[in-house]
Amino acid sequence: MSRYIATRAIRGANAIVAEADALLKKAIAEKGADTPVAFPNTAYYLPVILGMLGHEASKLADLEPVLDHAMRMLHPIPDAEVWTPYLGETLDSGMATLLAEEVIEAVRFAYGEEPQAYPGLVLAGSTSFTSPDNGGGPSTDGHLNGPIDDIQLRSWGIQLVDGRMPGFAAIVGAAHSNEAAVAIVRELQKRNILTFLVGNVNGRSMIDQLVEEGVEMGYDTYIVPFGRDTISAIYPLGFATRSALTFGGMKGGQWRDILLYNKFRVFAFVLALGEVDDLKYATAAGAISYGFPVIADTVIPEILPTGITRYEHVISMPWKEIEGETEEEKAVRLVQKAIEVRGVKIQITEVPVPVPYGSAFEGEVVRRADMRVEFGGKNSRAYEYLRMVDLDEVEDGKIELIGPDLDETEEGGFMDLGILVEVAGRKMEKDFEPVLERQIHYFVNGASGIQHIGQRDIAWIRISKSAAEKGFNLKHFGDILYARFHGDFGAIVDKVQVKIFTESELYAEWLEKARVAYDERNVRIGTMTDESVDQFYSCTLCQSFAPDHVCIVSPERLGLCGAYNWLDCKASFQINPTGPNQPIIKGDIMDTEKGYFSGVNEYAVSASHGSVSEVAVYSIMENPMTACGCFECIAMLIPEANGIMIVSREDTSMTPAGMTFSTLAGVAGGGLQTPGVMGHGKFYITSPKFISADGGFKRVVWMSSILKEQMADQLNEVAEREGDPDLIEKIADETICTDVENLLKHLQEKGHPALEMEPMM
Ligand code: SF4
Ligand code: ZN
């Protein structure tokens, strides 16, 4: 253990704990000990304090024992002559620092000072502070992110479990130059690593550098600017702590388990860019306790022996070291080193296009002003169609552009575009066509500077000027699709060829054919019922985080995350027969109405390691399906209304149950059966099997307005099917009421059917 680092970490810890103490005393004097403290939209209080100490801090007075604890972890600043350093002192200092930092942020919230202002900044995607009145759209501008809410944590959780997102990087400080800053985040984005930005060097932050270079930040681009000070590093560590609490099923106070969980399951690391001061050393020591190594771009003493982290603890890779290397080359080297030291598993398919490529670019928006050309939208049409053909009809790797390329259109113009992907494979099935076709959206979006929205014949694609300047052309769509279908679906796809039509006759001819196929598929999916198949599928993908949870996926009930339906699971089983999606033979039908099947029960017992003995596939009141944490919606009984409410995870408002989505999620998740509460996928709501044992869709008395908007057409069809065309209007939402009293008033006024139905309990 480096004596130098220990000394500086101890010094940093002593200073920050004293600062927190002074700040807290002042706050209590000015605002009173009972002033509430909370991070917004989370059920985990102040997460590091909750995780490490088990304290549910909710008012200023609750922070006093936290600081007492931190003070007990402090060590005297060592006398260089006599002192022999040991790792424990550094780690104690790190933990004391984190507790103090979380106290400071909490006090800032009590004063209404968070999130930090950043005039002019607009973040891509919603943030914790998205105002509810813009329906979860782009954030209100002018603020840094502040803490991540539980909703975002869960939605990233699913990407972390299925491997799309290999881990996260916390960047502290500022890069050597703006060019270096961009190069580093691009390297991380390419690998789909989530990037958290905090801190500054002499007042300059990496956030400033990226703003100056026009790099889009926000949840959608995997770059989250937390704050311009080192203290904001508490947010990435709070995120890590909550991962263990949310997905690992740990409870507050299980600090040792939480730290080990992070060491083995959360692939995170710290990049310390620029000069490292005492507070940064102390904070880095806190990160090391979680098993997160620190890689610095300056000369600092290294801590090589392993133990707390899996490999080295602290690595120094001076930016200036190699003469003649470009900033990009240095960035690659730094990021690669970090990945190696942390043992992050990266699987990426090399995609031969002239722009950066990776799923971190999926959320990028191409604005009209930055657009070179667009396909679909208002002025033109774009469609995509994937079909299966015989093996001898496909010339693998053949990519044809039939018609003019984009350079024949004026800048900012539009064109019609058709993309036909033909695949063949011995294990390919007609049923997999829609599963694969849906991937086109993700694959195309992965290219930086390309925006893809929609699917089928309502696709809408934009190519940015900068992508076109780098040489991106229409054939590159084919290159992307070829590489990704082979890379991701090689088990079912042996050959792939792509035709891109801009020539009007062929374009029109294939649009006709595509539409015939879309219609056929609609009919096929629409007629597929749970009765029409003899096997369901399991999904245990989330078990790496929620060890006892299993989703039972049937044709009429998709997985609760909304990402896997029965056909997806079937395809996934073909791709990986020992993977997370296994066929479940239904077996004896013990109860058609409630949905008890002998095969499902047997499977549930073994997959949940005995924690669940029976599952009623169609009921919320009796042995409902368990939930991990990724559910799109939560349904919950409202006894007074004799019905249920459905809250969408995009909805941050209060609900008639007296809890917000975040708080409810704590009740619904964790792989436990709780009668009356159920996590589920959005589209399950429209299924005829939606809680059919308990009366079905007519039981819905309250529903987040965003669901009503997003699924307006489908919900109207459901209302027709239920024989009550005005049903949707009778269902309340958060704009009508958020308490039971007004809910009942609304239901009575509108004559909601649930009031007349037989009692739910
Ligand atoms: Fe997780 Fe269920 Fe989605 Fe599978 S279907 S990824 S288990 S939530
Ligand atoms: Zn899950």
Side-chain angles (χ1 to χ4, degrees):
M1 181 71 214
S2 158
R3 165 187 298 198
Y4 176 79
I5 291 184
T7 306
R8 300 206 51 186
I10 292 170
R11 221 159 58 192
N14 278 283
I16 194 78
V17 172
E19 187 184 328
D21 189 43
L23 198 67
L24 179 61
K25 287 205 170 85
K26 178 167 162 277
I28 289 178
E30 286 175 8
K31 303 193 69 91
D34 287 336
T35 304
V37 290
F39 289 165
N41 302 321
T42 176
Y44 298 103
Y45 300 88
L46 302 174
V48 173
I49 290 169
L50 175 69
M52 295 302 116
L53 305 181
H55 291 340
E56 299 181 349
S58 61
K59 50 185 195 302
L60 286 173
D62 298 338
L63 301 176
E64 287 179 316
V66 173
L67 285 183
D68 287 344
H69 193 106
M71 281 172 201
R72 286 197 300 274
M73 296 180 92
L74 294 176
H75 293 267
I77 297 163
D79 174 342
E81 299 301 310
V82 292
W83 178 69
T84 345
Y86 81 104
L87 188 60
E89 290 181 338
T90 308
L91 296 179
D92 285 352
S93 304
M95 200 43 79
T97 300
L98 300 187
L99 295 174
E101 289 176 336
E102 197 160 63
V103 165
I104 292 174
E105 289 297 274
V107 172
R108 285 183 183 168
F109 265 106
Y111 276 100
E113 285 170 20
E114 284 282 339
Q116 295 164 28
Y118 199 111
L121 182 70
V122 181
L123 299 179
S126 53
T127 74
S128 309
F129 300 94
T130 303
S131 77
D133 50 69
N134 68 4
S139 74
T140 39
D141 58 346
H143 286 282
L144 294 173
N145 196 83
I148 287 179
D149 53 45
D150 287 351
I151 298 164
Q152 190 60 40
L153 172 77
R154 282 167 210 281
S155 91
W156 274 333
I158 170 105
Q159 299 185 44
L160 287 164
V161 295
D162 70 14
R164 269 178 290 163
M165 187 183 274
F168 73 81
I171 299 186
V172 185
H176 192 249
S177 64
N178 282 14
E179 203 187 339
V182 176
I184 291 167
V185 296
R186 291 298 183 224
E187 282 308 311
L188 293 166
Q189 280 182 312
K190 266 188 219 166
R191 293 168 175 79
N192 310 329
I193 294 172
L194 196 55
T195 303
F196 295 151
L197 304 174
V198 300
N200 70 74
V201 176
N202 300 324
R204 225 174 130 60
S205 166
M206 180 110 154
I207 298 170
D208 307 323
Q209 297 178 312
L210 296 182
V211 167
E212 284 162 19
E213 295 304 311
V215 172
E216 203 177 352
M217 288 184 271
Y219 288 165
D220 285 353
T221 59
Y222 291 18
I223 308 173
V224 185
F226 282 114
R228 300 177 75 262
D229 55 12
T230 305
I231 294 173
S232 318
I234 198 63
Y235 295 130
L237 292 162
F239 178 83
T241 307
R242 281 150 68 205
S243 301
L245 296 170
T246 308
F247 303 112
M250 279 143 205
K251 297 273 167 285
Q254 285 182 282
W255 63 274
R256 195 186 301 272
D257 297 326
I258 293 169
L259 297 179
L260 284 175
Y261 179 92
N262 274 280
K263 171 177 174 179
F264 290 109
R265 295 191 192 244
V266 178
F267 293 93
F269 53 86
V270 179
L271 291 179
L273 305 184
E275 194 200 323
V276 183
D277 58 20
D278 287 352
L279 182 58
K280 285 184 189 165
Y281 274 112
T283 307
I288 290 171
S289 308
Y290 281 76
F292 303 158
V294 179
I295 297 90
D297 72 345
T298 51
V299 182
I300 62 168
E302 297 191 320
I303 308 181
L304 301 179
T306 66
I308 305 301
T309 59
R310 282 177 98 176
Y311 305 98
E312 295 90 341
H313 303 324
V314 177
I315 289 273
S316 168
M317 288 195 62
W319 193 257
K320 292 184 183 145
E321 207 170 60
I322 298 180
E323 293 280 328
E325 240 186 358
T326 64
E327 299 288 73
E328 268 114 44
E329 284 160 352
K330 287 178 183 169
V332 172
R333 202 155 48 83
L334 184 73
V335 170
Q336 262 163 7
K337 186 70 183 178
I339 287 167
E340 176 195 316
V341 170
R342 184 61 185 98
V344 182
K345 291 177 217 71
I346 308 265
Q347 22 140 244
I348 40 168
T349 310
E350 279 297 326
V351 176
V353 288
V355 293
Y357 188 90
S359 38
F361 301 107
E362 275 172 20
E364 261 183 345
V365 173
V366 176
R367 293 182 183 80
R368 179 160 290 281
D370 303 325
M371 178 182 102
R372 171 65 186 83
V373 58
E374 107 180 307
F375 314 91
K378 245 209 299 271
N379 301 311
S380 57
R381 180 180 289 283
Y383 64 87
E384 49 211 22
Y385 173 34
L386 180 141
R387 65 169 196 162
M388 174 181 138
V389 290
D390 287 340
L391 274 161
D392 55 13
E393 288 175 57
V394 181
E395 186 182 320
D396 188 43
K398 185 166 179 195
I399 295 160
E400 286 172 277
L401 168 64
I402 302 150
D405 207 333
L406 57 94
D407 51 5
E408 293 181 33
T409 304
E410 79 219 352
E411 189 161 292
F414 53 87
M415 294 171 87
D416 284 334
L417 177 77
I419 299 177
L420 171 67
V421 183
E422 292 174 304
V423 302
R426 267 170 292 270
K427 286 202 181 154
M428 182 64 197
E429 291 179 28
K430 193 122 186 82
D431 269 351
F432 299 157
E433 285 181 354
V435 175
L436 298 185
E437 192 181 274
R438 217 145 36 91
Q439 303 300 318
I440 296 176
H441 167 74
Y442 299 101
F443 292 170
V444 169
N445 249 342
S448 176
I450 315 300
Q451 172 187 308
H452 184 289
I453 295 174
Q455 47 357 73
R456 292 189 171 180
D457 58 350
I458 51 165
W460 179 16
I461 306 173
R462 282 181 170 179
I463 296 177
S464 71
K465 284 179 197 161
S466 78
E469 274 157 24
K470 291 188 182 115
F472 194 94
N473 61 37
L474 293 184
K475 259 188 139 174
H476 287 123
F477 287 134
D479 293 324
I480 293 171
L481 297 172
Y482 176 76
R484 293 295 308 267
F485 277 118
H486 270 295
D488 295 31
F489 293 91
I492 46 179
V493 161
D494 298 328
K495 288 169 148 190
V496 182
Q497 70 185 13
V498 183
K499 295 193 178 91
I500 293 155
F501 306 117
T502 53
E503 184 271 327
S504 56
E505 236 165 80
L506 269 174
Y507 163 88
E509 183 189 326
W510 278 94
L511 178 56
E512 277 311 301
K513 291 186 192 172
R515 284 183 171 154
V516 171
Y518 303 149
D519 285 342
E520 277 168 12
R521 286 180 200 163
N522 285 346
V523 172
R524 162 108 178 102
I525 291 167
T527 54
M528 223 162 49
T529 61
D530 287 4
E531 291 76 29
S532 69
V533 298
D534 53 17
Q535 57 192 32
F536 296 163
Y537 283 90
S538 65
C539 187
T540 51
L541 201 51
C542 284
Q543 287 204 344
S544 56
F545 282 127
D548 294 334
H549 169 71
V550 49
C551 275
I552 312 284
V553 181
S554 72
E556 292 178 277
R557 181 169 188 172
L558 79 173
L560 55 85
C561 57
Y564 295 88
N565 67 27
W566 188 83
L567 281 177
D568 295 314
C569 292
K570 188 176 177 201
S572 145
F573 174 64
Q574 290 291 328
I575 293 166
N576 181 5
T578 57
N581 302 110
Q582 296 294 318
I584 302 175
I585 307 291
K586 284 189 328 198
D588 295 335
I589 302 170
M590 296 145 73
D591 187 330
T592 348
E593 200 192 324
K594 290 180 177 158
Y596 283 114
F597 304 91
S598 63
V600 171
N601 283 345
E602 278 160 32
Y603 187 86
V605 172
S606 77
S608 73
H609 313 106
S611 75
V612 168
S613 57
E614 283 180 297
V615 176
V617 183
Y618 310 133
S619 177
I620 184 176
M621 297 304 293
E622 192 178 300
N623 295 314
M625 210 177 283
T626 63
C628 39
C630 327
F631 29 73
E632 290 186 295
C633 302
I634 299 174
M636 186 173 183
L637 174 71
I638 305 286
E640 298 88 340
N642 199 31
I644 62 152
M645 63 163 197
I646 302 176
V647 196
S648 159
R649 76 169 167 203
E650 287 131 319
D651 182 358
T652 54
S653 63
M654 186 41 75
T655 70
M659 292 181 263
T660 59
F661 182 92
S662 309
T663 317
L664 280 166
V667 182
L672 297 172
Q673 279 181 328
T674 318
V677 188
M678 191 176 78
H680 62 86
K682 245 179 222 173
F683 282 97
Y684 180 46
I685 303 171
T686 63
S687 163
K689 292 289 197 310
F690 178 70
I691 60 165
S692 51
D694 311 306
F697 184 79
K698 278 188 176 151
R699 287 288 185 188
V700 181
V701 292
W702 189 100
M703 178 191 263
S704 298
S705 64
I706 189 163
L707 294 171
K708 288 185 178 174
E709 284 157 28
Q710 287 176 342
M711 307 202 297
D713 294 346
Q714 292 103 319
L715 289 174
N716 282 325
E717 279 169 33
V718 174
E720 293 281 344
R721 186 189 72 208
E722 298 287 316
D724 189 346
D726 302 326
L727 185 52
I728 308 303
E729 218 183 282
K730 298 176 184 171
I731 300 173
D733 60 47
E734 79 283 3
T735 66
I736 296 167
C737 60
T738 53
D739 65 338
V740 171
E741 209 193 327
N742 285 306
L743 173 62
L744 291 178
K745 227 198 261 164
H746 176 87
L747 300 177
Q748 266 142 15
E749 266 169 37
K750 298 277 177 184
H752 192 289
L755 299 177
E756 308 291 313
M757 291 166 80
E758 62 181 84
M760 266 190 105
M761 42 189 305

PDB file of all heavy atoms in Angstrom, residues 348-370:
ATOM      1  N   ILE A 348     -18.280  -7.153 -28.941  1.00  0.00           N
ATOM      2  CA  ILE A 348     -18.805  -6.282 -29.974  1.00  0.00           C
ATOM      3  C   ILE A 348     -18.506  -6.888 -31.334  1.00  0.00           C
ATOM      4  O   ILE A 348     -17.508  -7.560 -31.532  1.00  0.00           O
ATOM      5  CB  ILE A 348     -18.249  -4.836 -29.940  1.00  0.00           C
ATOM      6  CG1 ILE A 348     -16.755  -4.818 -29.610  1.00  0.00           C
ATOM      7  CG2 ILE A 348     -19.026  -3.965 -29.017  1.00  0.00           C
ATOM      8  CD1 ILE A 348     -16.119  -3.462 -29.863  1.00  0.00           C
ATOM      9  N   THR A 349     -19.422  -6.625 -32.218  1.00  0.00           N
ATOM     10  CA  THR A 349     -19.239  -7.070 -33.576  1.00  0.00           C
ATOM     11  C   THR A 349     -18.611  -5.897 -34.323  1.00  0.00           C
ATOM     12  O   THR A 349     -19.089  -4.784 -34.209  1.00  0.00           O
ATOM     13  CB  THR A 349     -20.619  -7.374 -34.192  1.00  0.00           C
ATOM     14  OG1 THR A 349     -21.315  -8.222 -33.281  1.00  0.00           O
ATOM     15  CG2 THR A 349     -20.504  -8.036 -35.532  1.00  0.00           C
ATOM     16  N   GLU A 350     -17.548  -6.153 -35.019  1.00  0.00           N
ATOM     17  CA  GLU A 350     -16.940  -5.089 -35.815  1.00  0.00           C
ATOM     18  C   GLU A 350     -17.859  -4.763 -36.981  1.00  0.00           C
ATOM     19  O   GLU A 350     -18.235  -5.648 -37.754  1.00  0.00           O
ATOM     20  CB  GLU A 350     -15.567  -5.531 -36.338  1.00  0.00           C
ATOM     21  CG  GLU A 350     -14.445  -5.390 -35.328  1.00  0.00           C
ATOM     22  CD  GLU A 350     -14.192  -3.941 -34.898  1.00  0.00           C
ATOM     23  OE1 GLU A 350     -14.366  -3.023 -35.739  1.00  0.00           O
ATOM     24  OE2 GLU A 350     -13.829  -3.720 -33.719  1.00  0.00           O
ATOM     25  N   VAL A 351     -18.242  -3.521 -37.090  1.00  0.00           N
ATOM     26  CA  VAL A 351     -19.132  -3.123 -38.162  1.00  0.00           C
ATOM     27  C   VAL A 351     -18.368  -2.158 -39.076  1.00  0.00           C
ATOM     28  O   VAL A 351     -17.910  -1.119 -38.620  1.00  0.00           O
ATOM     29  CB  VAL A 351     -20.393  -2.444 -37.590  1.00  0.00           C
ATOM     30  CG1 VAL A 351     -21.288  -1.946 -38.695  1.00  0.00           C
ATOM     31  CG2 VAL A 351     -21.148  -3.424 -36.707  1.00  0.00           C
ATOM     32  N   PRO A 352     -18.207  -2.525 -40.335  1.00  0.00           N
ATOM     33  CA  PRO A 352     -17.342  -1.724 -41.217  1.00  0.00           C
ATOM     34  C   PRO A 352     -18.040  -0.486 -41.772  1.00  0.00           C
ATOM     35  O   PRO A 352     -18.459  -0.455 -42.920  1.00  0.00           O
ATOM     36  CB  PRO A 352     -17.001  -2.712 -42.342  1.00  0.00           C
ATOM     37  CG  PRO A 352     -18.189  -3.631 -42.399  1.00  0.00           C
ATOM     38  CD  PRO A 352     -18.781  -3.685 -41.040  1.00  0.00           C
ATOM     39  N   VAL A 353     -18.185   0.531 -40.939  1.00  0.00           N
ATOM     40  CA  VAL A 353     -18.759   1.790 -41.415  1.00  0.00           C
ATOM     41  C   VAL A 353     -17.829   2.937 -41.033  1.00  0.00           C
ATOM     42  O   VAL A 353     -17.071   2.805 -40.072  1.00  0.00           O
ATOM     43  CB  VAL A 353     -20.172   2.045 -40.820  1.00  0.00           C
ATOM     44  CG1 VAL A 353     -21.197   1.114 -41.435  1.00  0.00           C
ATOM     45  CG2 VAL A 353     -20.186   1.892 -39.305  1.00  0.00           C
ATOM     46  N   PRO A 354     -17.899   4.062 -41.754  1.00  0.00           N
ATOM     47  CA  PRO A 354     -16.945   5.149 -41.497  1.00  0.00           C
ATOM     48  C   PRO A 354     -17.307   6.040 -40.316  1.00  0.00           C
ATOM     49  O   PRO A 354     -16.738   7.115 -40.167  1.00  0.00           O
ATOM     50  CB  PRO A 354     -16.979   5.951 -42.814  1.00  0.00           C
ATOM     51  CG  PRO A 354     -18.304   5.664 -43.413  1.00  0.00           C
ATOM     52  CD  PRO A 354     -18.701   4.296 -42.967  1.00  0.00           C
ATOM     53  N   VAL A 355     -18.264   5.616 -39.488  1.00  0.00           N
ATOM     54  CA  VAL A 355     -18.619   6.410 -38.294  1.00  0.00           C
ATOM     55  C   VAL A 355     -18.514   5.500 -37.078  1.00  0.00           C
ATOM     56  O   VAL A 355     -18.563   4.285 -37.220  1.00  0.00           O
ATOM     57  CB  VAL A 355     -20.071   6.957 -38.406  1.00  0.00           C
ATOM     58  CG1 VAL A 355     -20.185   7.978 -39.511  1.00  0.00           C
ATOM     59  CG2 VAL A 355     -21.079   5.823 -38.611  1.00  0.00           C
ATOM     60  N   PRO A 356     -18.378   6.085 -35.865  1.00  0.00           N
ATOM     61  CA  PRO A 356     -18.331   5.240 -34.668  1.00  0.00           C
ATOM     62  C   PRO A 356     -19.610   4.408 -34.561  1.00  0.00           C
ATOM     63  O   PRO A 356     -20.679   4.848 -34.985  1.00  0.00           O
ATOM     64  CB  PRO A 356     -18.249   6.233 -33.515  1.00  0.00           C
ATOM     65  CG  PRO A 356     -17.751   7.495 -34.116  1.00  0.00           C
ATOM     66  CD  PRO A 356     -18.218   7.512 -35.533  1.00  0.00           C
ATOM     67  N   TYR A 357     -19.491   3.205 -34.002  1.00  0.00           N
ATOM     68  CA  TYR A 357     -20.643   2.312 -33.949  1.00  0.00           C
ATOM     69  C   TYR A 357     -20.754   1.635 -32.583  1.00  0.00           C
ATOM     70  O   TYR A 357     -19.769   1.140 -32.048  1.00  0.00           O
ATOM     71  CB  TYR A 357     -20.515   1.234 -35.044  1.00  0.00           C
ATOM     72  CG  TYR A 357     -21.768   0.407 -35.171  1.00  0.00           C
ATOM     73  CD1 TYR A 357     -22.775   0.797 -36.040  1.00  0.00           C
ATOM     74  CD2 TYR A 357     -21.959  -0.710 -34.376  1.00  0.00           C
ATOM     75  CE1 TYR A 357     -23.962   0.069 -36.120  1.00  0.00           C
ATOM     76  CE2 TYR A 357     -23.134  -1.434 -34.444  1.00  0.00           C
ATOM     77  CZ  TYR A 357     -24.125  -1.046 -35.319  1.00  0.00           C
ATOM     78  OH  TYR A 357     -25.301  -1.749 -35.386  1.00  0.00           O
ATOM     79  N   GLY A 358     -21.956   1.605 -31.993  1.00  0.00           N
ATOM     80  CA  GLY A 358     -22.180   0.932 -30.709  1.00  0.00           C
ATOM     81  C   GLY A 358     -23.549   1.316 -30.177  1.00  0.00           C
ATOM     82  O   GLY A 358     -24.113   2.315 -30.607  1.00  0.00           O
ATOM     83  N   SER A 359     -24.095   0.530 -29.222  1.00  0.00           N
ATOM     84  CA  SER A 359     -25.485   0.838 -28.844  1.00  0.00           C
ATOM     85  C   SER A 359     -25.609   2.138 -28.055  1.00  0.00           C
ATOM     86  O   SER A 359     -26.705   2.652 -27.891  1.00  0.00           O
ATOM     87  CB  SER A 359     -26.203  -0.309 -28.149  1.00  0.00           C
ATOM     88  OG  SER A 359     -25.365  -1.002 -27.305  1.00  0.00           O
ATOM     89  N   ALA A 360     -24.479   2.680 -27.571  1.00  0.00           N
ATOM     90  CA  ALA A 360     -24.563   3.987 -26.920  1.00  0.00           C
ATOM     91  C   ALA A 360     -25.018   5.061 -27.900  1.00  0.00           C
ATOM     92  O   ALA A 360     -25.441   6.137 -27.495  1.00  0.00           O
ATOM     93  CB  ALA A 360     -23.216   4.372 -26.328  1.00  0.00           C
ATOM     94  N   PHE A 361     -24.933   4.786 -29.194  1.00  0.00           N
ATOM     95  CA  PHE A 361     -25.355   5.786 -30.177  1.00  0.00           C
ATOM     96  C   PHE A 361     -26.817   5.623 -30.573  1.00  0.00           C
ATOM     97  O   PHE A 361     -27.341   6.397 -31.360  1.00  0.00           O
ATOM     98  CB  PHE A 361     -24.458   5.723 -31.422  1.00  0.00           C
ATOM     99  CG  PHE A 361     -23.006   5.970 -31.112  1.00  0.00           C
ATOM    100  CD1 PHE A 361     -22.086   4.935 -31.133  1.00  0.00           C
ATOM    101  CD2 PHE A 361     -22.572   7.233 -30.755  1.00  0.00           C
ATOM    102  CE1 PHE A 361     -20.756   5.151 -30.812  1.00  0.00           C
ATOM    103  CE2 PHE A 361     -21.237   7.460 -30.430  1.00  0.00           C
ATOM    104  CZ  PHE A 361     -20.333   6.410 -30.458  1.00  0.00           C
ATOM    105  N   GLU A 362     -27.450   4.571 -30.002  1.00  0.00           N
ATOM    106  CA  GLU A 362     -28.834   4.303 -30.383  1.00  0.00           C
ATOM    107  C   GLU A 362     -29.782   5.455 -30.107  1.00  0.00           C
ATOM    108  O   GLU A 362     -30.727   5.681 -30.848  1.00  0.00           O
ATOM    109  CB  GLU A 362     -29.355   3.055 -29.645  1.00  0.00           C
ATOM    110  CG  GLU A 362     -29.003   1.766 -30.335  1.00  0.00           C
ATOM    111  CD  GLU A 362     -29.352   0.549 -29.482  1.00  0.00           C
ATOM    112  OE1 GLU A 362     -30.178   0.663 -28.564  1.00  0.00           O
ATOM    113  OE2 GLU A 362     -28.774  -0.517 -29.740  1.00  0.00           O
ATOM    114  N   GLY A 363     -29.545   6.157 -29.004  1.00  0.00           N
ATOM    115  CA  GLY A 363     -30.493   7.197 -28.620  1.00  0.00           C
ATOM    116  C   GLY A 363     -30.226   8.554 -29.264  1.00  0.00           C
ATOM    117  O   GLY A 363     -30.937   9.518 -29.015  1.00  0.00           O
ATOM    118  N   GLU A 364     -29.200   8.638 -30.070  1.00  0.00           N
ATOM    119  CA  GLU A 364     -28.834   9.921 -30.678  1.00  0.00           C
ATOM    120  C   GLU A 364     -29.951  10.489 -31.548  1.00  0.00           C
ATOM    121  O   GLU A 364     -30.615   9.763 -32.279  1.00  0.00           O
ATOM    122  CB  GLU A 364     -27.673   9.693 -31.626  1.00  0.00           C
ATOM    123  CG  GLU A 364     -26.340  10.035 -31.094  1.00  0.00           C
ATOM    124  CD  GLU A 364     -25.326   9.823 -32.208  1.00  0.00           C
ATOM    125  OE1 GLU A 364     -25.660   9.173 -33.223  1.00  0.00           O
ATOM    126  OE2 GLU A 364     -24.223  10.308 -32.059  1.00  0.00           O
ATOM    127  N   VAL A 365     -30.071  11.776 -31.487  1.00  0.00           N
ATOM    128  CA  VAL A 365     -31.088  12.453 -32.281  1.00  0.00           C
ATOM    129  C   VAL A 365     -30.385  13.240 -33.384  1.00  0.00           C
ATOM    130  O   VAL A 365     -29.361  13.865 -33.137  1.00  0.00           O
ATOM    131  CB  VAL A 365     -31.868  13.422 -31.373  1.00  0.00           C
ATOM    132  CG1 VAL A 365     -32.823  14.283 -32.173  1.00  0.00           C
ATOM    133  CG2 VAL A 365     -32.614  12.634 -30.302  1.00  0.00           C
ATOM    134  N   VAL A 366     -30.903  13.160 -34.615  1.00  0.00           N
ATOM    135  CA  VAL A 366     -30.361  14.004 -35.684  1.00  0.00           C
ATOM    136  C   VAL A 366     -31.390  15.114 -35.931  1.00  0.00           C
ATOM    137  O   VAL A 366     -32.507  14.845 -36.377  1.00  0.00           O
ATOM    138  CB  VAL A 366     -30.121  13.195 -36.971  1.00  0.00           C
ATOM    139  CG1 VAL A 366     -29.640  14.119 -38.098  1.00  0.00           C
ATOM    140  CG2 VAL A 366     -29.101  12.086 -36.722  1.00  0.00           C
ATOM    141  N   ARG A 367     -31.018  16.319 -35.593  1.00  0.00           N
ATOM    142  CA  ARG A 367     -31.955  17.436 -35.753  1.00  0.00           C
ATOM    143  C   ARG A 367     -32.035  17.842 -37.216  1.00  0.00           C
ATOM    144  O   ARG A 367     -31.098  17.619 -37.981  1.00  0.00           O
ATOM    145  CB  ARG A 367     -31.506  18.618 -34.896  1.00  0.00           C
ATOM    146  CG  ARG A 367     -31.619  18.309 -33.426  1.00  0.00           C
ATOM    147  CD  ARG A 367     -31.235  19.472 -32.538  1.00  0.00           C
ATOM    148  NE  ARG A 367     -31.310  19.044 -31.146  1.00  0.00           N
ATOM    149  CZ  ARG A 367     -30.357  18.334 -30.535  1.00  0.00           C
ATOM    150  NH1 ARG A 367     -29.248  18.027 -31.185  1.00  0.00           N
ATOM    151  NH2 ARG A 367     -30.499  17.934 -29.298  1.00  0.00           N
ATOM    152  N   ARG A 368     -33.157  18.458 -37.547  1.00  0.00           N
ATOM    153  CA  ARG A 368     -33.369  18.870 -38.935  1.00  0.00           C
ATOM    154  C   ARG A 368     -32.198  19.686 -39.476  1.00  0.00           C
ATOM    155  O   ARG A 368     -31.744  19.477 -40.600  1.00  0.00           O
ATOM    156  CB  ARG A 368     -34.678  19.648 -39.043  1.00  0.00           C
ATOM    157  CG  ARG A 368     -35.001  20.156 -40.418  1.00  0.00           C
ATOM    158  CD  ARG A 368     -36.472  20.476 -40.580  1.00  0.00           C
ATOM    159  NE  ARG A 368     -37.311  19.277 -40.593  1.00  0.00           N
ATOM    160  CZ  ARG A 368     -37.467  18.487 -41.662  1.00  0.00           C
ATOM    161  NH1 ARG A 368     -36.863  18.769 -42.790  1.00  0.00           N
ATOM    162  NH2 ARG A 368     -38.219  17.424 -41.600  1.00  0.00           N
ATOM    163  N   ALA A 369     -31.700  20.587 -38.641  1.00  0.00           N
ATOM    164  CA  ALA A 369     -30.621  21.468 -39.100  1.00  0.00           C
ATOM    165  C   ALA A 369     -29.323  20.709 -39.379  1.00  0.00           C
ATOM    166  O   ALA A 369     -28.497  21.158 -40.175  1.00  0.00           O
ATOM    167  CB  ALA A 369     -30.373  22.552 -38.048  1.00  0.00           C
ATOM    168  N   ASP A 370     -29.155  19.565 -38.719  1.00  0.00           N
ATOM    169  CA  ASP A 370     -27.907  18.799 -38.892  1.00  0.00           C
ATOM    170  C   ASP A 370     -28.071  17.675 -39.897  1.00  0.00           C
ATOM    171  O   ASP A 370     -27.200  16.826 -40.052  1.00  0.00           O
ATOM    172  CB  ASP A 370     -27.482  18.157 -37.560  1.00  0.00           C
ATOM    173  CG  ASP A 370     -27.322  19.187 -36.467  1.00  0.00           C
ATOM    174  OD1 ASP A 370     -26.890  20.305 -36.794  1.00  0.00           O
ATOM    175  OD2 ASP A 370     -27.645  18.876 -35.308  1.00  0.00           O
TER     176      ASP A 370
END
